[in-house]
Amino acid sequence: MGLLEQCEQVFGTADLYRVLGVRREASDGEVRRGYHKVSLQVHPDRVGEDDKEGATRRFQILGKVYSVLSDQEQRAVYDEQGTVDEDSDVLSQDRDWETYWRLLFKKISLEDIQAFEKTYKGSEEELADIKQAYLDFKGDMGQIMESVLCVQYTDEPRIRNLIQQAIDAGEVPSYKAFVKESKQKMNARKRRAQEEAKEAEMSRKELGLDDEDNLKALIQVVYIIETLRMEENMKLATVEDAVEYRLFLIPDEPRDAEEHKEILQKYIERIMTQFAPMLVHYIWQNQPFNLKYKPEKGGVPAHMFGMTKFGDNIEDEWFIVYIVKQITKEFPELVARIEDNDGEFLLIEAADYLPKWLDPDNSANRVFFYHGELCIIPAPRKPGAVSWLPTAPPTIPQALNIISTHPEKILASESVRAAVNRRIRGYPEKIQASLHRAHCFLPAGIVAVLKQRPRLVAAGVQAFYLRDPIDLRACRIFKTFLPETRIMTSVTFTKCLYAQLMQQRFIPDRRSGFKLPPPSHPQYRAHELGMKLAHGFEILCSKCHPHFSDSKKSPVTSSPLWAGFLDSLKKNDYFKGLIEGSAQYQERLEMAKNYFQLSVNRPESSVAMSPGEEILTLLQTLPFDIEELKKEEANLPPEDDDQWLDLSPDQLDQLLQEAAGKRDPEPISEEKEHYDLTRVSKSMKAFLSKVSTHKGAELPRDPSETPITFDADSFLNYFDKILGPRPPESDSDDQDEEDFESLESDDDLDFETQEPGEEASVKGTLDDLKSYMAQMDRELAHTSIGKSFATQKQMESLAQTTNSNSDEEDSGAGDSGMTPVDVDLNLVSNILESYSSQAGLAGPASNLLQSMGVQLPDNTDPRPTRSIPRTEPHSFLDSCPAAALTCG
């Protein structure tokens, strides 16, 4: 077995760079550091005698990987051809890899580490490393803190300051990720670092490493630190576009660990079997829904865990939400928790309906599915107010106990549940709507493979979509899928996969044998789709060694679980009454076997076949007749219409409204519908009367809600107390919701409670404000700014000219100097002018009006506006009845 096959078997990848965790363009120093980090994980000295043999093998393979990538000639060959010269001196010599490792990394002591840290911190070398890390990670402080040597979370302010100085000096660019990093992200990083430090200290004491300084002890100490960091790095790297889901059993009674494991594994089998009819046919973008046993760790009880990378197809994530919700409905003793790289994405979906107390800082371990319903564990308004609610975000055991004992008190509000249910509405029928069937001119081998494994179309599309120049070298001359064997077939894609394939512009290499007809050809699209998909499949197979190991493949039917799984499928009517042994029955049976192998019967220690290996295995074991496949060309089902790829503006608006949970807008007749601009004025007044908190303005959620009263005297009293020399003390930084809703109810804001000296100070402040306002009036009196506001007299004249269809200007406009300004008219006209200037695009005026429940028609009137003061609105105002302008 060659080195690449050994890496695939042991490390799960044949990419030597990925084995070391470095980039393909990594420097020699980065390759060396990568080898050092991984070697600390696999070093034989850190395992027990039982695993010594396996660890030694991993350590030896890792040494060979480093030998190849550290040798310039060998690395160049690997980069160019993707192969390794097994007969080279680098790999053929019998080397003592333990001695080799000791030569590379000399034995060090704790004093050595401390001495290095003293000289490194504050040095030019550290500054250069910090700048480089800042550039490499585009300002992401989390990754910067993980990559710079000798860094603890307490060093973050110092490192931030160094980076900011470099930005100010123009040495590095200003990245948004650094400049606008949220406080929530900083606090989360700090918590993780503190937890890592505690775990490392506990592990150090458990291992008894206080006094030892031998090689084994040092490897274990450094391993603890490096592994914690690498695990966090890997977590950050792998959760991108991935969703994690956990299923807990309640009540969480004390059980023997093995007994608990056996119970959860039986649940996994039951769940995957019951939902098999829905999951077998589903085409996943990257990874399928899966569950595996997760032992108890860090206070989190043993549970069922799964992670799916959904990539570009967000519908995969929401389909999993539907599945998890249904699991808790079908198995009422299970509680589910689900999150992705954005955190509590279910709360993000229902953000408009969340209670005010709930925010990202206190939402940890509060959101669950139970009995098929979304649950949110509340927080007490005051510490200790509710005995069964913890004051801080609950731990998982606390949350499970609360759900078990108080299920009726944790149900999320109807509006929150409706927002989530709206997003997953239509499943499982929606699965069919997400598919797209198209004709493709494909090599016969791919046609045969897709008949057996329709889901492999996703791997083929992804291989083509993410291709690089090295991948395309394998497509200069096709070795696996010959172009001359092409036939017309029907392929089922997801809409996401079809769009990815269609939007790629690609011209095949002349040597490949793929020639496309002219674009005017009626089957041009089928030829183009087939060419692209064939390139993807060829790339997948080119990454496999011609003699890849068969040791990973075992008959599915040999598993003791297969018989029970097959019986469950029959009970759930998976085969739809098909005659056993028929072609369609066998096709469904093969898909069930594949699903069973991927999701039910996959041991944790096994290494799954790559898509390329699976394709080659099928080609070796699956007999197919090209002539028989060609006969099917005459009976292909029709293609689906792909007009959904081109969205009109109206369709886009409708999709956005559906995504926001709004109903379709009713058609508006411009001749019959009159827009009452009084509503605009009233809505704006209600908005201005809202009392906002430090978190921002509160928009009216329902346009029909009663306008909020605003007591100006109470507000001025509160304002005066802030300006006074002795502001009132507050018992808490946080105010209850009632405090924000009704400031006048606060006893501290009453003038009667003020002391005499304080009242005099407030009176003096008000006198100062009045003098400032009088001075401003005197200065503005000599300007023409007053002419820019419409007065009540102008409004009356405008109404008369509108009713008489006259375009003459208001002759009394010049007498408006002493006429009161019409506030409502100016408000409406300015909003409409701003709305008109948006030219149908998104902007502040339309966003504000829509948030207040006011929708205006498009400005389609081509008539020019009349020459009246600056605040004259667009032509929509001209077309409104005069009565509509009489606001307030």
Side-chain angles (χ1 to χ4, degrees), residues 698-800:
E698 298 175 2
L699 293 171
R701 290 181 178 173
D702 186 355
S704 62
E705 68 178 340
T706 305
I708 296 176
T709 59
F710 177 67
D711 191 335
D713 293 335
S714 295
F715 178 77
L716 285 175
N717 292 347
Y718 185 72
F719 181 70
D720 296 337
K721 296 199 69 155
I722 292 176
L723 294 178
R726 296 170 58 186
E729 295 182 357
S730 174
D731 295 334
S732 172
D733 292 335
D734 298 327
Q735 290 181 317
D736 291 336
E737 184 176 341
E738 292 79 11
D739 298 333
F740 290 114
E741 292 293 336
S742 181
L743 286 176
E744 64 268 24
S745 65
D746 193 343
D747 295 337
D748 291 339
L749 303 183
D750 196 343
F751 265 124
E752 296 178 2
T753 63
Q754 295 178 352
E755 298 178 3
E758 188 176 359
E759 184 176 354
S761 175
V762 171
K763 186 176 183 301
T765 302
L766 289 176
D767 290 340
D768 290 341
L769 288 175
K770 289 178 180 178
S771 66
Y772 292 149
M773 294 175 65
Q775 183 177 353
M776 290 171 60
D777 289 341
R778 288 193 297 271
E779 292 180 3
L780 293 175
H782 301 290
T783 68
S784 59
I785 192 170
K787 296 180 180 180
S788 64
F789 295 97
T791 62
Q792 290 181 359
K793 188 172 182 180
Q794 286 177 321
M795 182 197 70
E796 294 169 1
S797 300
L798 180 59
Q800 293 171 2

Side-chain angles (χ1 to χ4, degrees), residues 816-878:
S816 63
M818 301 301 294
T819 308
V821 170
D822 190 281
V823 178
D824 291 332
L825 176 61
N826 283 277
L827 170 66
V828 172
S829 60
N830 277 286
I831 288 178
L832 294 180
E833 183 179 17
S834 176
Y835 180 77
S836 177
S837 65
Q838 294 176 195
L841 302 176
S846 59
N847 293 341
L848 186 59
L849 289 170
Q850 287 182 12
S851 66
M852 295 187 297
V854 178
Q855 293 205 359
L856 298 180
D858 293 332
N859 177 22
T860 57
D861 192 341
R863 292 181 300 160
T865 56
R866 290 171 293 129
S867 177
I868 63 175
R870 179 185 58 83
T871 54
E872 177 69 22
H874 61 31
S875 54
F876 167 64
L877 184 59
D878 299 337

Side-chain angles (χ1 to χ4, degrees), residues 201-218:
E201 179 64 20
M202 291 174 59
S203 300
R204 186 179 66 82
K205 290 180 178 180
E206 290 174 1
L207 293 171
L209 303 178
D210 291 324
D211 301 322
E212 298 181 19
D213 65 346
N214 55 47
L215 176 63
K216 179 178 179 180
L218 286 172

Side-chain angles (χ1 to χ4, degrees), residues 139-178:
D140 188 325
M141 276 301 294
Q143 297 189 66
I144 293 171
M145 294 293 291
E146 296 293 343
S147 63
V148 178
L149 295 174
C150 304
V151 164
Q152 300 176 0
Y153 73 91
T154 52
D155 292 316
E156 181 166 338
R158 180 179 65 87
I159 291 178
R160 273 191 169 276
N161 187 45
L162 291 173
I163 294 174
Q164 189 60 53
Q165 291 177 5
I167 294 174
D168 295 340
E171 298 171 355
V172 293
S174 176
Y175 289 122
K176 183 179 179 181
F178 174 81

Side-chain angles (χ1 to χ4, degrees), residues 127-255:
L127 180 59
D129 289 345
I130 292 172
K131 291 179 183 178
Q132 188 59 49
Y134 174 80
L135 294 172
D136 289 342
F137 301 117
K138 308 294 184 184
D140 188 325
M141 276 301 294
Q143 297 189 66
I144 293 171
M145 294 293 291
E146 296 293 343
S147 63
V148 178
L149 295 174
C150 304
V151 164
Q152 300 176 0
Y153 73 91
T154 52
D155 292 316
E156 181 166 338
R158 180 179 65 87
I159 291 178
R160 273 191 169 276
N161 187 45
L162 291 173
I163 294 174
Q164 189 60 53
Q165 291 177 5
I167 294 174
D168 295 340
E171 298 171 355
V172 293
S174 176
Y175 289 122
K176 183 179 179 181
F178 174 81
V179 177
K180 296 186 177 181
E181 186 181 36
S182 65
K183 188 175 180 181
Q184 172 195 352
K185 195 172 181 180
M186 296 181 192
N187 292 335
R189 186 163 57 247
K190 181 178 178 180
R191 286 195 299 269
R192 284 198 306 269
Q194 291 172 335
E195 291 170 1
E196 289 174 3
K198 289 180 182 179
E199 189 171 345
E201 179 64 20
M202 291 174 59
S203 300
R204 186 179 66 82
K205 290 180 178 180
E206 290 174 1
L207 293 171
L209 303 178
D210 291 324
D211 301 322
E212 298 181 19
D213 65 346
N214 55 47
L215 176 63
K216 179 178 179 180
L218 286 172
I219 289 175
Q220 289 174 318
V221 172
V222 180
Y223 169 76
I224 294 170
I225 300 171
E226 293 290 350
T227 300
L228 287 171
R229 286 193 174 185
M230 290 186 67
E231 285 180 352
E232 188 62 30
N233 278 335
M234 290 175 64
K235 182 179 179 182
L236 289 172
T238 56
V239 297
E240 186 69 24
D241 297 332
V243 57
E244 294 182 354
Y245 32 96
R246 294 172 171 81
L247 295 167
F248 299 92
L249 182 63
I250 62 168
D252 189 20
E253 301 173 353
R255 297 185 181 90

Side-chain angles (χ1 to χ4, degrees), residues 256-271:
D256 177 74
E258 286 301 318
E259 179 188 1
H260 200 179
K261 180 178 181 180
E262 184 177 350
I263 291 173
L264 291 178
Q265 286 180 332
K266 287 183 178 179
Y267 267 103
I268 293 175
E269 296 168 18
R270 290 173 59 191
I271 291 169

